[in-house]
Structures are given as structure tokens and as C-alpha cells.
């Protein structure tokens, strides 16, 4: 019962991780630059994401431009696109597989099949968390290195946006969920691997005495 509750808790964490992973992939605020200027009325907030760049004006106007050219993008953005999409796909697969393998569901057949499905879903969550953690870390490193570079003007420097923090939190949720699923299945399989010695049943003394008595009758 405790293992089923732990799996359900991990499944909830995985759901938050999947939604956060997809949200972080689509959000345009991976890095943000707020240019207030001399007048706060004409303040401009520039945001750059994996798929589009957006500009928000203090007057209420909002405009976005899609990044159509893939080859013109920096290497870290191309890698972030690929790994984040893979993370989303693996996390969705993990949700589908663990739904079959969880103890609180009636899908998946026998307990061994459910245990294997649960373990496979946990592996998908772990891979999704790794694929989500790598691009956010690399993207953050590029932002910080450009921010500390003295040769870059202040107007071209950016800070990490909300999408980066969302990606970090989602990756942590997916990693915790994946480790929890794999650990719960491993404990179950470990209990099945314990060797139970065969019990040898020896005949009682009463049966031996009866057998001896019967043999005496034939002498």
C-alpha cells in the first residue's frame, strides 16, 4: 500500500514536470532584457526564446518574430531546441507507460508486467529530466558569460527569464519521479529474487514404528 501511494505521488510530480517542460519549451522568455531608458513611459522589455523573439512596450503593445532560419541560430539554441523536444516526447511516453504499470490501476496484466512497465516509465522520466536539464544549464551559462563579458554593451546583455527557471524545476520533478518509480519496482523485484530453501519433510517416529510393526507381522 505504501509503494502504491509513493507511485501515485511520483506520478503527480511527473505530471507537473511534463506540463512545465512543455511550457518552458514554448515560452519566449528564456532570456530577458529590460531597457528602461530615460523615460519609463517608453520602457521596452525584449525577450528571446527558442522559437521566437518578443518585444513588450510599456504602452501595452506586444510583438513577436518567429525564428524561421535554423542554421543562423547559435549552437546552444539549436541544441536546446532538440533536447527540449526530446524531453517532452520522453516525458509523455513515461506518463503513458507508468499509467499502465502503476499498482493503483487495473491495466497492464500480471504484477510482473506492471512492474516492468513501471520501471520503463521511470527510465523515460529520468532521460526526460536529463534532456531538460542539459539545455537549461547550457543556456544559463551562455547568458551569464555574456553578462559578465566587458566587451558586450549593456543594451545587449540579458538575464535568465522565467522559462529557464521553469525548465530547471520541471527537470527536477521528472528526475525525482523517475528515480521513485525505478526504486519502487526494484524493491519489489529484489524481494522476488530472495532464495527460499526447500523444506525437507522427514517421516515422524510414529510412522517408523508403524512400519516396523507391519514388517514384524510378516515374519
Amino acid at each position: 500500500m505504501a509503494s502504491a501511494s509513493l507511485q501515485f505521488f511520483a506520478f503527480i510530480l511527473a505530471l507537473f514536470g511534463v506540463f512545465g517542460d512543455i511550457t518552458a519549451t514554448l515560452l519566449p522568455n528564456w532570456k530577458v532584457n529590460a531597457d528602461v531608458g530615460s523615460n519609463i513611459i517608453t520602457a521596452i522589455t525584449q525577450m528571446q526564446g527558442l522559437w521566437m523573439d518578443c518585444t513588450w512596450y510599456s504602452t501595452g503593445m506586444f510583438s513577436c518574430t518567429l525564428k524561421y532560419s535554423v542554421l543562423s541560430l547559435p549552437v546552444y539554441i539549436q541544441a536546446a531546441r532538440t533536447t527540449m523536444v526530446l524531453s517532452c516526447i520522453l516525458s509523455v511516453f513515461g506518463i503513458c507507460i507508468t499509467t499502465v504499470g502503476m499498482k493503483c490501476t487495473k491495466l497492464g496484466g500480471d504484477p510482473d508486467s506492471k512492474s516492468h512497465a513501471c520501471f520503463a516509465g521511470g527510465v523515460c522520466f529520468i532521460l526526460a529530466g536529463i534532456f531538460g536539464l542539459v539545455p537549461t544549464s547550457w543556456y544559463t551559462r551562455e547568458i551569464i558569460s555574456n553578462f559578465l563579458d566587458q566587451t558586450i554593451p549593456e543594451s545587449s546583455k540579458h538575464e535568465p527569464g522565467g522559462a529557464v527557471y521553469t525548465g530547471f524545476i520541471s527537470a527536477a520533478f521528472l528526475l525525482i519521479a523517475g528515480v521513485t518509480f525505478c526504486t519502487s519496482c526494484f524493491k519489489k523485484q529484489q524481494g522476488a529474487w530472495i532464495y527460499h530453501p526447500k523444506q525437507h519433510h522427514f517421516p515422524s517416529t510414529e510412522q517408523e514404528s508403524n512400519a516396523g510393526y507391519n514388517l514384524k507381522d510378516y515374519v
Side-chain angles (χ1 to χ4, degrees), residues 161-196:
V164 174
Y165 300 112
T166 305
F168 275 119
I169 297 173
S170 302
F173 282 166
L174 290 172
L175 287 174
I176 294 172
V179 171
T180 303
F181 275 116
C182 293
T183 304
S184 63
C185 297
F186 179 74
K187 287 181 178 179
K188 182 178 179 181
Q189 292 178 358
Q190 188 178 12
W193 292 339
I194 297 176
Y195 175 73
H196 298 282

Side-chain angles (χ1 to χ4, degrees), residues 81-205:
R81 279 185 172 187
T82 305
T83 51
M84 288 301 292
V85 170
L86 287 175
S87 178
C88 293
I89 294 173
L90 286 172
S91 59
V92 172
F93 280 164
I95 290 292
C96 297
I97 296 173
T98 52
T99 302
V100 176
M102 289 174 62
K103 294 181 180 179
C104 58
T105 61
K106 296 182 179 180
L107 304 174
D110 58 298
D112 290 337
S113 299
K114 290 176 71 68
S115 179
H116 294 158
C118 188
F119 184 81
V123 173
C124 288
F125 287 141
I126 293 175
L127 292 177
I130 294 173
F131 280 133
L133 188 63
V134 169
T136 50
S137 301
W138 191 0
Y139 207 99
T140 304
R141 177 185 175 277
E142 292 293 332
I143 294 174
I144 295 175
S145 61
N146 291 334
F147 189 85
L148 299 177
D149 192 353
Q150 301 296 331
T151 60
I152 298 178
E154 293 293 332
S155 59
S156 299
K157 294 182 178 181
H158 297 80
E159 295 181 0
V164 174
Y165 300 112
T166 305
F168 275 119
I169 297 173
S170 302
F173 282 166
L174 290 172
L175 287 174
I176 294 172
V179 171
T180 303
F181 275 116
C182 293
T183 304
S184 63
C185 297
F186 179 74
K187 287 181 178 179
K188 182 178 179 181
Q189 292 178 358
Q190 188 178 12
W193 292 339
I194 297 176
Y195 175 73
H196 298 282
K198 295 181 179 180
Q199 297 180 357
H200 299 281
H201 298 282
F202 298 98
S204 61
T205 57

Side-chain angles (χ1 to χ4, degrees), residues 63-82:
S63 61
C64 293
T65 304
L66 294 175
K67 297 178 179 179
Y68 292 103
S69 178
V70 178
L71 299 178
S72 62
L73 297 175
V75 177
Y76 69 96
I77 295 182
Q78 297 180 17
R81 279 185 172 187
T82 305

Side-chain angles (χ1 to χ4, degrees), residues 5-18:
S5 302
L6 193 63
Q7 288 182 356
F8 183 75
F9 175 73
F11 186 78
I12 297 299
L13 286 181
L15 283 178
F16 282 113
V18 171

